[in-house]
Amino acid sequence: MIEKIEGFEQYNKWNKNDIYTVRILSLLKSYGTSYHFATFYRQIIDDKITAIISRLDNDITMALEEGFDNTELVRFFCITGHASILCPPEFQFGAKYDQGVIMQSKRKLNLPELNVTIDEYPKLMDLYNFIDYENQDFKAWYVDISHRVRHNTARAYTLNVDGMIVSSGILSSIYKNDAVLTTVRTQDEFRGLGYASYLVSYICNDVKGIVYLMRDAELNENFYNRLGFENTGIWRMYK
């Protein structure tokens, strides 16, 4: 059975800890269940929660537990519709998908000496322009990220040299002690100078628990390995 949830207590029996769970519960903490554009569900089989689901607008994140009913989930998404489904590869949907690697780290590193400053409260317009989002409406992005920052479920960082943004990173989902790192970018002409390594290390030191990230299968493995990240699984996104 898949049912819409009305509060955190309906997730009390969910004990799994992974990148999908952090994304879902962070979103629930951010928005609660009173907004029409943010909804949450659970699949229950024999009194056990086998899947938890969040829907932000039409983008879905799903965490799975052993024994989930794949057929029921497929039917649910076909009826309710979706723009994307981010989930573990165990879920089989029969549609085109992108796939990559999940990494995680709990390591805290000593920071080298660099003549830089870290801004934990950057101007979001400056950050948006630096990241250079494609096909992302600024107003929608700004409303969401500023809302999450105010509710302590997201955090933005820039590394600045002589007052100029050189590198950026965002903890886009924070729940309890764990977080999801996204949007790590360094200005082209400043790459290879240690700025991104410094910023990622700084961000990881700022998180008490696990830092998760999703990367493309062929990109940046050595960079994140050097910073204490390990490959721990596969992410899949159906579109």
Side-chain angles (χ1 to χ4, degrees), residues 17 27 40 63 86 95 111 133 149 163 165 180 183 220 236:
N17 189 33
L27 185 66
F40 304 87
L86 177 65
L111 297 176
Y133 284 103
V149 169
I165 298 177
V180 179
T183 328
N220 301 323
R236 178 172 292 181

Side-chain angles (χ1 to χ4, degrees), residues 119-133:
D119 188 352
E120 296 187 20
Y121 300 94
K123 294 180 180 179
L124 293 182
M125 174 63 86
D126 293 341
L127 180 58
Y128 177 88
N129 289 333
F130 177 78
I131 295 170
D132 191 24
Y133 284 103

Side-chain angles (χ1 to χ4, degrees), residues 37-173:
F37 56 81
T39 52
F40 304 87
Y41 304 86
R42 65 180 184 176
Q43 182 187 65
I44 297 180
I45 299 175
D46 297 330
D47 200 37
K48 174 187 176 183
I49 301 176
T50 52
I52 62 173
I53 301 163
S54 68
R55 178 189 296 272
L56 181 62
D57 292 324
N58 221 17
D59 293 315
I60 291 164
T61 300
M62 178 169 62
L64 299 173
E65 188 56 275
E66 185 178 352
F68 71 93
D69 187 332
N70 196 97
T71 301
E72 183 182 48
L73 291 167
V74 169
R75 187 184 312 118
F76 174 75
F77 294 132
C78 288
I79 292 172
T80 59
H82 66 280
S84 66
I85 302 173
L86 177 65
C87 60
E90 290 78 13
F91 176 61
Q92 300 296 311
F93 193 54
K96 292 181 179 180
Y97 59 83
D98 295 327
Q99 187 166 281
V101 178
I102 297 169
M103 304 188 81
Q104 69 180 56
S105 176
K106 293 183 68 173
R107 188 186 301 180
K108 312 305 175 188
L109 300 175
N110 294 325
L111 297 176
E113 291 292 332
L114 279 180
N115 187 24
V116 300
T117 58
I118 303 293
D119 188 352
E120 296 187 20
Y121 300 94
K123 294 180 180 179
L124 293 182
M125 174 63 86
D126 293 341
L127 180 58
Y128 177 88
N129 289 333
F130 177 78
I131 295 170
D132 191 24
Y133 284 103
E134 293 183 5
N135 303 317
Q136 172 67 62
D137 176 69
F138 171 73
K139 183 178 180 181
W141 176 84
Y142 175 86
V143 169
D144 182 50
I145 192 68
S146 59
H147 181 89
R148 293 174 188 248
V149 169
R150 288 197 306 274
H151 286 78
N152 297 315
T153 56
R155 201 172 299 150
Y157 303 80
T158 59
L159 181 147
N160 306 308
V161 176
D162 296 329
M164 179 178 64
I165 298 177
V166 167
S167 191
S168 70
I170 297 177
L171 295 175
S172 58
S173 300

